[in-house]
Amino acid sequence: MKLRKVTAASAAVLALALTATACGSDDKDSDSADTGSGGSKKITIGIKFDQPGIGQKTPQGYEGFDVDVATYVAKQLGYSANQIQWKEAKSADRETMLQRGDVDFIAASYSINDERAAKVDFAGPYLLAHQDVLIRADDDSIKTPKDLNDKKLCSVTGSTSAQNVKDKLAPKAQLQEYPTYSACLTGVQSGQLDALTTDDSILAGYAAQANFKGKFKLGGFKMTNENYGIGVKKGSDLKAKIDTALEKMVADGAWEKAVTANFGPANYKNEPAPKIGNIVK
Ligand code: GLU
């Protein structure tokens, strides 16, 4: 299902197809909704590829909390796991990917905020995280967020993390913006950078990676509230369907299972499941 530019006639057909999909969404056997006249259908979902515990491409496939949430949602929309096409959605590209119709939805550590909500719609939220810092384990010079002000700090272009540093958290820090968090991590490891800042949910996953054991620590600062939503194209009727799917995921225990499976290994202490539509400022 690609929501590309459509004519009025094909929009009507598309609307019907979506309705049909929704009707089938409660079936235990979701395959019944997959065998439409158009042959094998696909859904395209944007995730992160380099965030262990959240969204990661591995030799075995795709893993992480966002991957599990997206897979559950896709199933509710009538798509089985093998009908999902995963696409990398880097922080700076997410709104454009949705606006262009490159993906049907995005679950990629994607914080809901007003600026983004002017361009795309959000279902959720489905996780509440907080901005934190990751530093080398032997670094005792960063004890409070204020200590970041004369440091070489790294974050990602187009992220709320970079924006928050500039706006309020540490305006005097020497902020470097990279395309991905994994690129920042290499710099912190080598000593070229002092700290990496983004959501604690992401940083916990990096610090717990087998090859980094004992090398990094988190500040534990909880500097902001990051309400993760699922992004869809503005005006898409997928928003309401995804909200329903997320509610079901929490109610039937699949949300908690995904939390344990993905955040357990990193020992990340997550917040309880958010209520749909309840954004913590
Ligand atoms: N959640 C924040 C954001 O959406 C930071 C993580 C990310 O860049 O994906 O900007």
Side-chain angles (χ1 to χ4, degrees):
M1 182 175 63
K2 277 274 169 100
L3 305 183
R4 290 194 185 282
K5 247 192 219 163
V6 285
T7 61
S10 65
V13 173
L14 188 62
L16 277 174
L18 286 171
T19 311
T21 302
C23 291
S25 66
D26 275 333
D27 293 356
K28 272 269 165 285
D29 175 17
S30 73
D31 284 345
S32 59
D34 301 331
T35 47
S37 55
S40 97
K41 292 198 301 179
K42 287 264 179 211
I43 188 159
T44 308
I45 305 173
I47 52 164
K48 289 290 170 62
F49 275 12
D50 67 334
Q51 294 180 183
I54 302 269
Q56 190 182 23
K57 185 181 180 180
T58 74
Q60 291 77 43
Y62 299 90
E63 298 172 359
F65 184 67
D66 282 344
V67 172
D68 286 354
V69 170
T71 303
Y72 185 100
V73 166
K75 178 124 204 211
Q76 297 302 305
L77 298 173
Y79 296 86
S80 55
N82 59 15
Q83 289 175 305
I84 299 174
Q85 197 149 14
W86 300 105
K87 244 193 186 160
E88 183 174 27
K90 292 193 178 135
S91 297
D93 301 338
R94 291 174 292 198
E95 289 81 49
T96 314
M97 287 175 78
L98 288 169
Q99 286 172 325
R100 279 201 306 238
D102 294 349
V103 287
D104 293 303
F105 67 79
I106 289 182
S109 60
Y110 199 6
S111 299
I112 302 171
N113 69 16
D114 292 343
E115 204 185 328
R116 292 171 180 169
K119 298 178 184 162
V120 301
D121 283 344
F122 286 101
Y126 65 93
L127 189 77
L128 174 62
H130 307 282
Q131 187 166 347
D132 198 0
V133 292
L134 175 144
I135 53 183
R136 286 180 297 278
D138 61 359
D139 185 346
D140 289 328
S141 68
I142 301 171
K143 294 204 168 66
T144 70
K146 272 205 202 111
D147 296 331
L148 295 168
N149 268 311
D150 55 358
K151 299 288 182 184
K152 287 194 207 102
L153 190 56
C154 189
S155 199
V156 164
T157 315
S159 68
T160 55
S161 321
Q163 199 59 47
N164 291 334
V165 167
K166 291 185 267 193
D167 289 352
K168 53 185 179 188
L169 297 178
K172 296 209 182 86
Q174 300 169 49
L175 179 68
Q176 309 213 12
E177 295 183 52
Y178 286 15
T180 60
Y181 296 105
S182 47
C184 290
L185 196 64
T186 313
V188 179
Q189 192 184 13
S190 72
Q192 235 177 325
L193 298 161
D194 297 312
L196 154 58
T197 183
T198 187
D199 308 335
D200 48 9
S201 46
I202 299 170
L203 298 176
Y206 286 134
Q209 274 184 104
N211 49 333
F212 293 144
K213 273 262 153 70
K215 291 214 168 100
F216 300 119
K217 63 185 175 189
L218 269 58
F221 297 156
K222 288 198 195 308
M223 300 184 283
T224 66
N225 293 316
E226 303 295 324
N227 299 267
Y228 286 9
I230 293 190
V232 298
K233 194 177 220 168
K234 196 139 204 70
S236 169
D237 60 357
L238 278 179
K239 173 185 150 47
K241 288 174 187 158
I242 295 174
D243 277 341
T244 305
L246 291 172
E247 250 159 12
K248 189 170 171 199
M249 188 177 184
V250 173
D252 72 11
W255 186 90
E256 198 59 51
K257 238 172 106 181
V259 158
T260 307
N262 294 296
F263 295 138
N267 206 16
Y268 174 62
K269 301 276 173 280
N270 63 286
E271 301 276 0
K275 280 218 160 56
I276 298 301
N278 181 29
I279 292 157
V280 181
K281 290 279 180 186

